[in-house]
Amino acid sequence: MKRFLTTIITACVCILSGAQPVPAYLDPTRPIEERIDDALSRMTLEEKVRLCHAQGKFYSNGVPRLGIPGLWSSDGPHGVRYEMQWAGWGHAGWETDSCTAFPSLTCLAATWNEELAYQYGRGVGEEARYRNKQVMLGPGVNIYRTPLCGRNFEYMGEDPLLTSRMCVPYIKGVQSMGVASCVKHFCLNNQETNRMSVNVEVSERALREIYLPAFKAAVEEAGVWSLMGAYNKVRGTHACHNHYTLQEILKGEWGFDGAVLSDWDGTHNAREAAYNGLDIEMGTSNRPDKGINGRQFRFDDSYLGLDFLHALRNGTYPESLLTDKVRRVLRLIFRTSMNGRTDFGNQDFAAHSRIVRQIGSEGVVLLQNNKVGNAPLLPVDAHNYNRILLVGDNANRILSHGGQSSELNPQHETSVLQALTSLYGDKLTYAQGYSTDERQNSLLLDEAVRLAHQADLIIYVGGLNKEGGQDCEGSDRKDMSLPYSQDKLIEALLNVNPRMITVLMSGNAVALPHVSRMPAILHAWYLGSDAGDIIADIISGVVCPSGKLPFTYPLRLADSPAHAFSAEAYPGVDGTEIYKEDILVGYRWYDTKKMQVLFPFGYGLSYTTFSISGVKLTGGRTVTATISNTGNRAGKEVVQLYIGDDKASVLRPLKELKHFKKVSLEPGETQTVSFTIDDADLKFYDEAAHSWRLEPGTFTAYVGTSSRDIQGKVKIKV
């Protein structure tokens, strides 16, 4: 680093003084491609090869002789991860690696607010640059195919349009700070079970319509600078070196000019890594043919290390393969650590907490708010209650820890217990209620029930957590049930006092067998540094909830499309998984099959009420609607437009989300919302023609506030 800074300072002095010559690669005012050409002309073969593999767990090589720095990457789409050991998976033990914990990406998706997505990315980028990270490994844009997937909380739900619209500003925000987003996991990494080896077989149409659009948007709209391959196989070949997905689609069709990183230990074949689009091999640590492990591992022993060098020297591989990889890595370096910026980011925790609170406030989803007596339980008027009982392990658990790669070391994380104690003081009593240690749960239940007899109101805070088998990398959930005997606890509490507010912290849908008896339910995700304050604001009514579900809550796991078939569809048989539901993922399945659901995609209640009227077609392709706040307080509503093909030559979903807009309205206020329908909104992918196809006919535009709450329709003729 000292040598790099000295080189840059010397170059800047030369530039300012007019001294010549200054190497083009060191001059940030020159075009990047010119700088790349100059650097390439000065590099040895060995130096070029070293750019193509890691030199530490989260560090890849630069060219020290030329003063070109390497790349530091960091996990954490929700913030900058702990500093890790150089060659191991343990924490480095620093005391200066704290960060802001931003809400989970499912929460961000639930805001349906693109401006917040940009602020989120910008905040992460500011802290990443401050921490000297050039590549942030996120966002994750894999599709929510099954409610059991352990990493769903890191993704943005079941719909490709919503995911695309939210990931683009996130990426732009991160990269506005000169930090690369590394969009992941490309592609079809939709489960954690057997993730390192499962072979996914999927139709070309489902691939193009469901699983690729967000990645395509990241490349073509956001201009993402790097991309991470997935662990699984795609049609027989590992995704980190898959010729079809990386070379033909990503770099060919989409024109991606950034660098492809492998997922850690995601590289399996030297020849495929050389030829099939991988640029930087990361994390390889246990190749059986080398007998290497942990600190004894020489990073030069990577597939794109010494083996690659020897094969280039003896003519096994053409040098053009190497040149393309090196150009991409240099382009990434010149866009980040050598981009000529003079700012160093910031770690303004107060400013970033304000972003966290706004995202969380707009992301929490009010699922249910039935009347108990004469009025709904939410929002809570503290004057009506003298004794409030808070129950639940998640009310006092730091939820930014755990989850494996998404773990964070937050500078602060306010718990629900802390926030509600500050709000209600002596009126509040806390009972843990359940534990991750099942042996304690009988006693904890008895204590909670005893205290419930004395309470006027119960606030229950449960759901999942970041431990293995819950919302956590590396494993899927076994079923949709709440863990740690929570259903039994919820039933016991309701039997004592029906005045209970349930707060679910989870990145997934969960089974709610007592839902008909639960008057008030909030889906609160993982809310990061200011989780407790966000929930307190919504419970107390300081904030009017406006979150909308980015996925469907099914009535039963068996109703979910991935689970409606044999084990071939999930989790796979003999190493292969077939996506038998094809394009009918999420609400596309439930709506087309006319199935009941617990809570539909796009659904979320408010403390005020809204109505949509006057849906009409103007100018041939513009749909307009009037949205009104018919309640007595300010709030926000998401107007959603879906398109359905009335008669097609192929199976199409009943309707698909194509546009949305979040609108803020004062009581009695009315606004007109308009959406322009283009050809892309009406097309499907024609597998025979290998292209998108628009068929003539009649289409229906559905306007509403969820996939099931449709308040107006118009016909569009093509």
Side-chain angles (χ1 to χ4, degrees), residues 464-485:
L464 308 182
N465 58 33
K466 299 287 189 68
E467 295 195 354
Q470 301 301 315
D471 280 326
C472 184
E473 180 183 359
S475 60
D476 287 342
R477 300 159 66 197
K478 291 183 174 62
D479 54 47
M480 282 182 62
S481 299
L482 290 171
Y484 317 124
S485 305

Side-chain angles (χ1 to χ4, degrees), residues 453 488-498 517:
H453 280 285
K488 183 178 179 181
L489 173 60
I490 289 170
E491 181 179 29
L493 292 172
L494 288 169
N495 287 342
V496 172
N497 189 341
R517 299 180 58 198

Side-chain angles (χ1 to χ4, degrees), residues 210-337:
I210 304 296
Y211 298 103
L212 291 186
F215 291 103
K216 187 173 189 285
V219 172
E220 295 187 344
E221 298 177 41
V224 73
W225 294 340
S226 60
L227 176 144
M228 183 193 294
Y231 282 130
N232 51 279
K233 296 176 182 177
V234 178
R235 299 172 182 166
T237 304
H238 279 281
C240 283
H241 34 79
N242 187 295
H243 189 274
Y244 181 58
T245 58
L246 295 178
Q247 292 286 67
E248 295 186 33
I249 296 177
L250 177 68
K251 295 181 176 180
E253 293 179 27
W254 300 347
F256 176 65
D257 69 354
V260 173
L261 282 65
S262 73
D263 205 339
W264 275 235
D265 282 326
T267 310
H268 301 271
N269 182 284
R271 187 173 182 82
E272 290 178 3
Y275 275 100
N276 292 357
L278 179 62
D279 299 311
I280 306 177
E281 178 183 351
M282 298 298 297
T284 302
S285 62
N286 56 359
R287 282 176 57 189
D289 60 322
K290 297 291 183 182
I292 52 181
N293 188 11
R295 288 189 176 275
Q296 277 62 55
F297 172 53
R298 283 174 49 87
F299 288 99
D300 283 349
D301 284 333
S302 300
Y303 291 103
L304 291 181
L306 291 176
D307 290 350
F308 191 36
L309 177 62
H310 296 327
L312 287 160
R313 280 177 171 164
N314 65 28
T316 300
Y317 302 138
E319 195 166 335
S320 59
L321 285 179
L322 174 64
T323 300
D324 180 68
K325 297 178 192 297
V326 174
R327 292 191 73 87
R328 292 171 180 276
V329 178
L330 288 174
R331 192 176 290 122
L332 183 56
I333 292 171
F334 292 151
R335 283 170 166 169
T336 56
S337 56

Side-chain angles (χ1 to χ4, degrees), residues 74-82 98-109 119-121 123-125 127-128 131 136-141 150-156 170 174 181 184-185 349 352 355-356 359 399-413 466 471-473 506-507 525-530:
S74 175
D75 271 317
H78 310 135
V80 186
R81 190 182 185 180
Y82 285 90
S98 57
C99 70
T100 299
F102 288 83
S104 63
L105 289 187
T106 43
C107 178
L108 176 63
Q119 293 181 33
Y120 189 129
V124 169
E127 295 200 8
R131 291 266 298 275
M136 284 301 294
L137 305 176
V141 298
R151 297 188 83 171
N152 278 339
F153 73 99
E154 294 185 48
Y155 305 145
M156 300 190 192
Y170 175 103
V174 173
S181 266
K184 62 184 186 182
H185 307 87
F349 292 127
H352 293 162
I355 299 172
V356 168
I359 293 167
L399 288 164
S400 294
H401 296 168
Q404 291 198 19
S405 65
S406 66
E407 66 173 356
L408 297 172
N409 182 28
Q411 184 264 350
H412 73 277
E413 183 169 327
K466 299 287 189 68
D471 280 326
C472 184
E473 180 183 359
S506 166
W525 318 106
Y526 302 109
L527 297 173
S529 289
D530 300 273

Side-chain angles (χ1 to χ4, degrees), residues 80 230 359 405 468 636 655 690-691:
V80 186
I359 293 167
S405 65
K636 297 179 180 180
K655 57 182 179 294
H690 303 289
S691 63

Side-chain angles (χ1 to χ4, degrees), residues 366 368-370 377-378 500-503 518-522:
L366 179 59
Q368 198 148 277
N369 197 20
N370 298 333
L377 283 188
L378 288 168
M500 187 170 90
I501 298 164
T502 301
V503 180
M518 301 163 73
I521 307 172
L522 291 167

